[in-house]
Coordinates of all heavy atoms in Angstrom, one line a residue:
Chain A
K313 N 121.4 38.7 54.2 CA 120.7 38.8 55.5 C 119.4 39.7 55.3 O 119.6 40.8 54.9 CB 121.6 39.4 56.6 CG 122.7 38.5 57.0 CD 123.0 38.6 58.4 CE 124.2 37.8 58.9 NZ 125.5 38.5 58.8
R433 N 118.4 56.0 61.1 CA 117.0 56.0 60.6 C 116.7 57.0 59.5 O 115.6 57.3 59.2 CB 116.1 56.3 61.8 CG 114.9 55.4 61.9 CD 114.2 55.6 63.3 NE 113.5 56.8 63.4 CZ 112.9 57.2 64.5 NH1 112.9 56.5 65.5 NH2 112.2 58.3 64.5
R532 N 124.1 52.7 76.5 CA 124.2 52.7 75.1 C 123.3 51.5 74.5 O 122.7 51.7 73.4 CB 125.7 52.5 74.6 CG 125.9 52.6 73.1 CD 125.4 53.9 72.6 NE 125.6 54.0 71.1 CZ 124.8 53.5 70.3 NH1 123.7 52.9 70.7 NH2 125.0 53.7 69.0
N534 N 120.6 48.1 75.1 CA 119.6 47.5 76.0 C 120.2 46.4 76.8 O 119.8 46.1 77.9 CB 118.4 47.0 75.1 CG 117.5 48.2 74.7 OD1 117.1 49.0 75.6 ND2 117.2 48.3 73.5
A535 N 121.1 45.6 76.2 CA 121.7 44.5 76.9 C 122.3 44.8 78.2 O 122.5 44.0 79.1 CB 122.7 43.8 76.0
N589 N 99.2 27.8 61.6 CA 99.4 26.6 62.3 C 99.7 26.8 63.8 O 100.5 26.0 64.4 CB 100.6 25.8 61.7 CG 100.6 24.3 62.1 OD1 99.5 23.8 62.4 ND2 101.7 23.8 62.2
S592 N 98.7 24.3 66.9 CA 98.9 23.2 65.9 C 97.6 22.8 65.2 O 96.7 22.4 65.9 CB 99.5 22.0 66.6 OG 100.7 21.8 66.0
G596 N 101.5 22.1 57.9 CA 102.9 22.2 58.0 C 103.5 22.9 56.8 O 102.8 23.5 56.0
T599 N 102.3 21.9 53.2 CA 100.9 22.4 52.9 C 101.0 23.9 52.5 O 100.4 24.4 51.6 CB 100.0 22.2 54.1 OG1 100.0 20.9 54.4 CG2 98.6 22.6 53.7
A716 N 105.7 54.1 70.9 CA 107.1 53.9 71.2 C 107.3 53.4 72.6 O 106.4 53.6 73.5 CB 107.8 55.3 71.0
Q758 N 131.1 49.5 66.2 CA 130.8 49.7 64.8 C 130.9 51.1 64.3 O 130.8 51.4 63.1 CB 129.4 49.2 64.5 CG 129.2 47.7 64.7 CD 128.8 47.3 66.1 OE1 129.3 47.9 67.1 NE2 127.9 46.4 66.3
Chain B
dC168 P 103.3 19.1 56.6 OP1 102.2 20.1 56.4 OP2 104.7 19.6 56.4 O5' 103.2 18.4 58.0 C5' 102.0 17.9 58.4 C4' 102.1 17.5 59.9 O4' 103.0 16.4 60.0 C3' 102.7 18.6 60.7 O3' 101.9 18.7 61.9 C2' 104.1 18.2 61.0 C1' 104.0 16.7 60.9 N1 105.3 16.1 60.4 C2 106.0 15.2 61.2 O2 105.6 15.0 62.3 N3 107.1 14.6 60.7 C4 107.5 14.9 59.4 N4 108.6 14.3 59.0 C5 106.8 15.8 58.6 C6 105.7 16.4 59.1
dG169 P 102.1 19.9 63.0 OP1 100.8 20.1 63.5 OP2 102.8 20.9 62.3 O5' 103.0 19.2 64.1 C5' 102.5 18.1 64.8 C4' 103.5 17.7 65.8 O4' 104.7 17.1 65.2 C3' 104.1 18.8 66.7 O3' 104.2 18.4 68.0 C2' 105.5 19.1 66.1 C1' 105.9 17.7 65.6 N9 106.8 17.7 64.4 C8 106.7 18.5 63.3 N7 107.7 18.2 62.4 C5 108.4 17.2 63.0 C6 109.5 16.5 62.5 O6 110.1 16.6 61.5 N1 109.9 15.5 63.4 C2 109.3 15.2 64.6 N2 109.8 14.2 65.4 N3 108.2 15.9 65.1 C4 107.8 16.8 64.2
dC170 P 104.4 19.4 69.2 OP1 103.2 19.2 70.1 OP2 104.7 20.7 68.7 O5' 105.6 18.8 70.0 C5' 105.8 17.4 70.2 C4' 107.2 17.1 70.2 O4' 107.7 17.2 68.8 C3' 108.1 17.9 71.1 O3' 108.6 17.1 72.1 C2' 109.2 18.4 70.1 C1' 109.1 17.5 68.9 N1 109.5 18.2 67.6 C2 110.5 17.6 66.9 O2 111.1 16.6 67.3 N3 110.9 18.2 65.7 C4 110.3 19.3 65.3 N4 110.7 19.8 64.1 C5 109.2 19.9 66.0 C6 108.8 19.3 67.2
dT175 P 127.5 25.1 63.2 OP1 127.8 24.6 61.9 OP2 128.4 25.1 64.3 O5' 126.9 26.6 63.1 C5' 125.6 26.8 62.4 C4' 125.1 28.1 62.9 O4' 124.5 28.0 64.2 C3' 126.1 29.3 63.0 O3' 125.7 30.2 62.0 C2' 126.0 29.8 64.4 C1' 124.7 29.2 64.9 N1 124.7 28.9 66.4 C2 123.7 29.3 67.2 O2 122.8 30.0 66.8 N3 123.8 29.0 68.5 C4 124.8 28.2 69.1 O4 124.7 27.9 70.3 C5 125.8 27.7 68.2 C7 126.9 26.9 68.8 C6 125.8 28.1 66.9
dG176 P 126.7 31.3 61.5 OP1 126.7 31.4 60.1 OP2 128.1 31.1 62.2 O5' 126.1 32.7 62.1 C5' 124.7 32.9 61.9 C4' 124.1 33.7 63.0 O4' 124.3 33.0 64.3 C3' 124.9 35.1 63.2 O3' 123.9 36.1 63.4 C2' 125.7 34.9 64.5 C1' 124.7 33.9 65.3 N9 125.4 33.1 66.4 C8 126.5 32.3 66.3 N7 126.8 31.7 67.4 C5 125.8 32.1 68.3 C6 125.5 31.8 69.6 O6 126.2 31.0 70.4 N1 124.4 32.5 70.1 C2 123.6 33.3 69.4 N2 122.6 33.9 70.1 N3 123.8 33.6 68.2 C4 124.9 33.0 67.6
dT177 P 124.3 37.5 63.0 OP1 123.6 37.9 61.8 OP2 125.7 37.8 63.2 O5' 123.5 38.3 64.2 C5' 122.4 37.6 64.9 C4' 122.6 37.8 66.4 O4' 123.5 36.9 67.0 C3' 123.1 39.2 66.8 O3' 122.2 39.7 67.7 C2' 124.4 38.9 67.5 C1' 124.1 37.5 68.1 N1 125.2 36.7 68.5 C2 125.2 36.2 69.8 O2 124.3 36.5 70.6 N3 126.3 35.4 70.2 C4 127.3 35.1 69.4 O4 128.2 34.4 69.8 C5 127.3 35.7 68.0 C7 128.4 35.4 67.1 C6 126.3 36.4 67.7
dA178 P 121.3 40.7 67.5 OP1 120.0 40.3 68.1 OP2 121.4 41.0 66.1 O5' 121.9 41.9 68.4 C5' 121.7 43.2 68.6 C4' 122.7 43.5 69.6 O4' 122.7 42.6 70.7 C3' 124.1 43.5 69.2 O3' 124.5 44.8 69.0 C2' 124.9 42.9 70.4 C1' 123.9 42.7 71.4 N9 124.1 41.5 72.2 C8 124.3 40.3 71.6 N7 124.5 39.3 72.5 C5 124.5 40.0 73.7 C6 124.6 39.6 75.1 N6 124.9 38.3 75.4 N1 124.5 40.5 76.0 C2 124.3 41.8 75.7 N3 124.1 42.3 74.5 C4 124.2 41.4 73.5
dA179 P 125.6 45.2 68.2 OP1 125.4 44.7 66.8 OP2 127.0 45.0 68.8 O5' 125.2 46.7 68.4 C5' 125.2 47.2 69.7 C4' 124.2 48.2 70.0 O4' 124.5 49.3 69.1 C3' 122.8 47.7 69.7 O3' 122.0 48.2 70.7 C2' 122.4 48.4 68.3 C1' 123.4 49.5 68.2 N9 124.0 49.6 66.9 C8 124.3 48.6 66.0 N7 124.9 49.0 64.9 C5 125.1 50.3 65.1 C6 125.7 51.3 64.3 N6 126.2 51.1 63.1 N1 125.7 52.6 64.8 C2 125.2 52.8 66.0 N3 124.6 51.9 66.9 C4 124.6 50.7 66.3
dT180 P 120.4 48.1 70.8 OP1 120.1 47.9 72.2 OP2 119.9 47.2 69.8 O5' 120.0 49.6 70.4 C5' 120.2 50.6 71.3 C4' 120.0 51.9 70.6 O4' 120.9 52.1 69.5 C3' 118.6 52.0 69.9 O3' 117.7 52.6 70.8 C2' 118.8 52.9 68.7 C1' 120.4 53.0 68.6 N1 120.9 52.5 67.3 C2 121.8 53.3 66.7 O2 122.2 54.4 67.2 N3 122.3 52.9 65.5 C4 122.0 51.7 64.9 O4 122.5 51.4 63.8 C5 121.0 50.9 65.6 C7 120.6 49.6 65.0 C6 120.5 51.3 66.7
dT181 P 116.3 51.9 71.1 OP1 115.8 52.4 72.4 OP2 116.4 50.4 70.8 O5' 115.4 52.5 69.9 C5' 115.2 53.9 69.9 C4' 114.2 54.1 68.8 O4' 114.7 53.7 67.5 C3' 112.9 53.3 69.0 O3' 111.8 54.2 68.7 C2' 113.0 52.2 68.0 C1' 113.8 52.8 66.9 N1 114.6 51.8 66.2 C2 114.7 51.9 64.8 O2 114.1 52.7 64.2 N3 115.5 50.9 64.2 C4 116.2 50.0 64.9 O4 116.9 49.2 64.2 C5 116.1 50.0 66.3 C7 116.9 49.0 67.1 C6 115.3 50.9 66.9
dT182 P 110.4 53.8 69.2 OP1 110.3 54.6 70.4 OP2 110.1 52.3 69.2 O5' 109.5 54.5 68.1 C5' 109.6 55.8 67.8 C4' 109.0 56.1 66.4 O4' 109.9 55.5 65.5 C3' 107.6 55.5 66.2 O3' 106.8 56.5 65.6 C2' 107.8 54.4 65.2 C1' 109.1 54.8 64.5 N1 109.9 53.6 64.0 C2 110.4 53.7 62.7 O2 110.1 54.6 62.0 N3 111.1 52.6 62.3 C4 111.4 51.5 63.1 O4 112.1 50.6 62.6 C5 110.9 51.5 64.4 C7 111.2 50.4 65.3 C6 110.2 52.6 64.8

Side-chain angles (χ1 to χ4, degrees):
Chain A
K313 294 215 182 95
R433 223 170 73 184
R532 183 62 180 82
N534 283 308
N589 197 31
S592 242
T599 308
Q758 294 90 322

